[in-house]
Amino acid sequence: MQQKQAMRSLSVYKAMLNERGDPTARVSVNDVGNHTLAEQFARFLEKNVNQILETKNSSKHIILKSCEKLDDSLLVKLVSGASGEHVDVVDVGSAEIDYSYDGDKASMVGTRLFLSCAHGDMYMLICVEHANNGAGETVLFDPFKGYLAQVVPNVVISYEPVLEAEILESFDRVESVVVKKYLEPSDPSTVLVRAGDYIEVKLGHKRGRPFGMALLKELLSGNMRATTLYGLQGGILEGEGTMMTVSLKGPHSVTGKYVIGQGLHSKVHEVLNEKGEPVLSDDEFVSRCASRCAVIEGRLGHERM
């Protein structure tokens, strides 16, 4: 049976620094204890490589594996996951349990980060690869914040997602919205199908009549439920196992596909590989991240202090 690779996606954050006790006093990301912020992250990794890092008040775990320096940027590899549950690992071809483990163990998924300090003094960009069953895209932010508080106690770091604003400025129409709900054996919606893995509903448009960006803004705001979008009743397309993908188009035939969440401050992810396609190589991942960072810098600016 040929292995099917799960979809992976990309989110982007900017990291900013200020003096402790004064949020208005900005600190250059290129002068953090005589190092750039990216170099401080490399030092953080060297100190903790191949050790399990636990997040506060959660059962999520991270192991930093490697860090490759690329001029003013870094390529970081890590594995992450969560413990605290009894898990049965099932052969998806036969539905038979292959093996099981208890809550004192965690399945770990490998992902990558790309950090770039090449955009002036005001911010560093962090591109995060998102994978199913990982510990979450922001899972490293708190441990690194704690490390910085030790080595440069007068500096505070903050993070802000930037991909949302970028896509709202880069595209001018919505081509389609697809909601996919993966089914569980106990899901009441399984009465609608027989031996199905998921329900998929697509909202498209007539030729030459795309949707405006106001639709995307409503979805990002959390004011519009997935079921409402399609004129359905109840919560058949809500809850765990639901994924919404939006295809956008902009000037000069620029296209993009993004995964968005539900609720206020929903995260936006750019699709890196569709389900079943190979995961990007390291070179492809770095190239995609560098290109994305260059576009974001064009909007945020390249300011020196």
Side-chain angles (χ1 to χ4, degrees):
M1 178 177 172
Q2 186 176 5
Q3 182 180 5
K4 293 184 179 179
Q5 180 64 54
M7 185 187 74
R8 296 209 172 186
S9 55
L10 181 75
S11 58
V12 185
Y13 293 80
K14 66 175 179 178
M16 299 163 289
L17 303 172
N18 61 268
E19 295 181 5
R20 186 173 297 278
D22 186 358
T24 64
R26 303 294 294 273
V27 175
S28 171
V29 297
N30 292 304
D31 187 12
V32 190
N34 298 319
H35 296 277
T36 69
L37 188 56
E39 289 170 345
Q40 287 288 13
F41 193 94
R43 291 160 65 89
F44 162 69
L45 186 144
E46 291 167 1
K47 180 180 179 181
N48 295 284
V49 66
N50 290 323
Q51 299 181 37
I52 290 186
L53 299 175
E54 296 186 3
T55 57
K56 294 180 180 179
N57 304 317
S58 78
S59 57
K60 296 179 179 180
H61 313 279
I62 318 108
I63 302 177
L64 297 168
K65 304 300 290 186
S66 67
C67 176
E68 182 180 352
K69 297 179 181 179
L70 308 166
D71 297 324
D72 294 323
S73 60
L74 298 174
L75 174 63
V76 177
K77 296 183 180 180
L78 64 142
V79 295
S80 68
S83 61
E85 297 283 357
H86 175 86
V87 176
D88 292 327
V89 180
V90 176
D91 186 312
V92 296
S94 65
E96 295 181 355
I97 297 176
D98 193 6
Y99 62 94
S100 302
Y101 59 87
D102 291 321
D104 59 343
K105 295 181 175 61
S107 62
M108 307 292 271
V109 179
T111 55
R112 295 164 290 191
L113 303 179
F114 178 86
L115 298 85
S116 176
C117 273
H119 314 287
D121 292 322
M122 303 303 290
Y123 59 89
M124 176 180 76
L125 293 177
I126 308 174
C127 298
V128 186
E129 183 181 34
H130 175 78
N132 293 338
N133 301 320
E137 62 192 47
T138 63
V139 71
L140 263 181
F141 288 4
D142 279 344
F144 181 52
K145 185 175 184 177
Y147 168 82
L148 276 185
Q150 295 178 359
V151 297
V152 279
N154 61 319
V155 173
V156 176
I157 187 171
S158 60
Y159 308 95
E160 179 181 311
V162 296
L163 201 52
E164 286 92 335
E166 182 205 342
I167 68 169
L168 290 175
E169 293 190 9
S170 300
F171 300 94
D172 56 19
R173 54 195 182 275
V174 177
E175 290 293 312
S176 65
V177 181
V178 176
V179 174
K180 182 180 288 187
K181 169 71 177 294
Y182 289 92
L183 302 177
E184 299 292 339
S186 60
D187 196 318
S189 56
T190 56
V191 300
L192 301 177
V193 295
R194 292 291 182 269
D197 293 324
Y198 60 85
I199 298 171
E200 183 176 276
V201 184
K202 180 177 181 178
L203 179 68
H205 64 81
K206 294 182 179 180
R207 183 183 298 273
R209 296 180 58 186
F211 305 105
M213 293 297 285
L215 173 62
L216 179 60
K217 293 178 181 178
E218 280 292 301
L219 294 172
L220 289 175
S221 73
N223 293 329
M224 181 182 291
R225 299 172 63 206
T227 47
T228 305
L229 178 67
Y230 297 103
L232 302 175
Q233 299 295 321
I236 189 173
L237 296 177
E238 310 291 343
E240 295 293 329
T242 299
M243 182 178 69
M244 180 180 290
T245 305
V246 181
S247 295
L248 305 175
K249 200 167 186 178
H252 310 297
S253 299
V254 175
T255 60
K257 182 177 287 188
Y258 299 87
V259 178
I260 66 175
Q262 294 287 308
L264 293 174
H265 308 298
S266 297
K267 298 297 184 294
V268 180
H269 298 86
E270 178 180 356
V271 174
L272 291 176
N273 63 281
E274 299 279 5
K275 180 180 178 181
E277 295 180 350
V279 171
L280 298 187
S281 67
D282 287 348
D283 288 344
E284 290 171 330
F285 179 72
V286 168
S287 177
R288 179 74 70 89
C289 291
S291 175
R292 179 60 57 216
C293 288
V295 173
I296 293 173
E297 180 190 316
R299 180 173 60 85
L300 297 181
H302 189 111
E303 186 176 346
R304 292 293 185 184
M305 298 179 67

